[in-house]
Amino acid sequence: MKGWEANIRKVVPYVPGEQPQGDRLIKLNTNENPYPPAPGVEKALREMDPDRFRKYPDPASAELVEALADYHGVGADQVFVGVGSDDVIAMSFLTFFNSEKPVLFPDVTYSFYKVWAELFQVPYETPALDGAFGICPEDYRKENGGIIFPNPNAPTGLLLPLDQVEAIVRENRDSIVIVDEAYIDFGGVSALPLTARYDNLLVVRTFSKSRSMAGLRIGYAVGDPALIGALQDVKYSYNSYTMNLPSQILGAAAVRDEAYFRSTVERIIETREWAKEELGKLGFSFPDSMANFIFAAHESVPAAELYEALRAEKIYVRYFKQPRLDNYLRISIGTREEMEALFGFLGRYLGERKR
Ligand code: PMP
């Protein structure tokens, strides 16, 4: 072994969902939005002057921060933006999770949390979800160096009621509690208004799902000005110009188009509820998702087999080869037509297999 090899940071990276290229495929594997971004985004894109790219972007992303502050009815000093919520959460781990005590997050959850804990060498514990995949709030009533969970949780789609989220925040006033609301717009009740009363609560959101802008990489956090200030200090110690100019401009345009946003979210919720009925008819069971995906297991056919059969048809869903999860497929909600193609294929495949 070479001398320098001992000094290399060893990490087991997060594995993002596959991004297959091409047109003739149905992509239901990374919870993207099947509808285009708001018309105001396209207009702002057309009007963008490339000459502006000569200069560095505003390091404070003020236009976007102010649009978000207006939208949520909070001060600009209560909003932190980053390059996708992954960037915002990574910065939050670095900023807030510095204790010798373990950070707590569920055993079945967004698998990036564990990767950041390892990367930043933060001790952690993972309280187990209950038999129905629910988060047990009482597991978070113990000494800890911080808490993070998604609401709704991923990959289950289950929503923790607001009073239980609040109980976790209230019972941990000496810790930062991060609620990752990547999927909250699809029918959940947000904890964001609680940030006015709890200075230990940070709510993280993304433009990747409900705002159809995964490709632009925009995420943000809302919390007490002291938390936002701490995040800024770490960000400016790491990379001042995190957000590029197009993301700042187009993100702000998206936030201003409330009516379009509501209408696409409604369509996805409608398709999801219909998809639940169809999956039930095909012999699948699933936790009752409040997100833009459904985590479903078939009564007789293994998920790994279905995953491969779908893939051969260029229908991409997500499969996690892990204990407890490996009989489930996580299926993002696409357009009605995409879902019809999925159910059409599954109906034929499962029918053939029975014979
Ligand atoms: N949190 C959760 C729970 C997610 O599922 C995702 C999507 N992979 C993210 C955060 C990160 O999303 P993004 O970086 O695109 O905002």
Side-chain angles (χ1 to χ4, degrees), residues 89 93 105 109-117 148-150 180:
I89 301 168
F93 265 71
F105 48 85
T109 195
Y110 185 32
S111 55
F112 220 143
Y113 300 157
K114 186 173 162 211
V115 175
W116 285 311
I148 181 166
F149 57 91
D180 175 356

Side-chain angles (χ1 to χ4, degrees), residues 14 84-86 89 110 150 154 180 182-183 206 208-209 217:
Y14 171 74
S85 53
D86 280 343
I89 301 168
Y110 185 32
D180 175 356
Y183 302 103
T206 178
S208 300
K209 321 293 177 182
R217 312 302 300 126

Side-chain angles (χ1 to χ4, degrees), residues 4-25:
W4 48 262
E5 283 182 23
N7 290 334
I8 291 180
R9 192 180 292 274
K10 309 236 175 1
V11 282
V12 181
Y14 171 74
V15 183
E18 196 180 348
Q19 294 296 337
Q21 302 300 315
D23 292 334
R24 290 174 182 276
L25 50 86

Side-chain angles (χ1 to χ4, degrees), residues 129-159:
L129 297 183
D130 66 22
F133 283 129
I135 287 178
C136 309
E138 55 281 7
D139 292 346
Y140 298 82
R141 237 175 257 150
K142 59 188 289 194
E143 269 216 309
N144 64 74
I147 292 173
I148 181 166
F149 57 91
N151 199 34
N153 196 10
T156 63
L158 278 178
L159 183 77

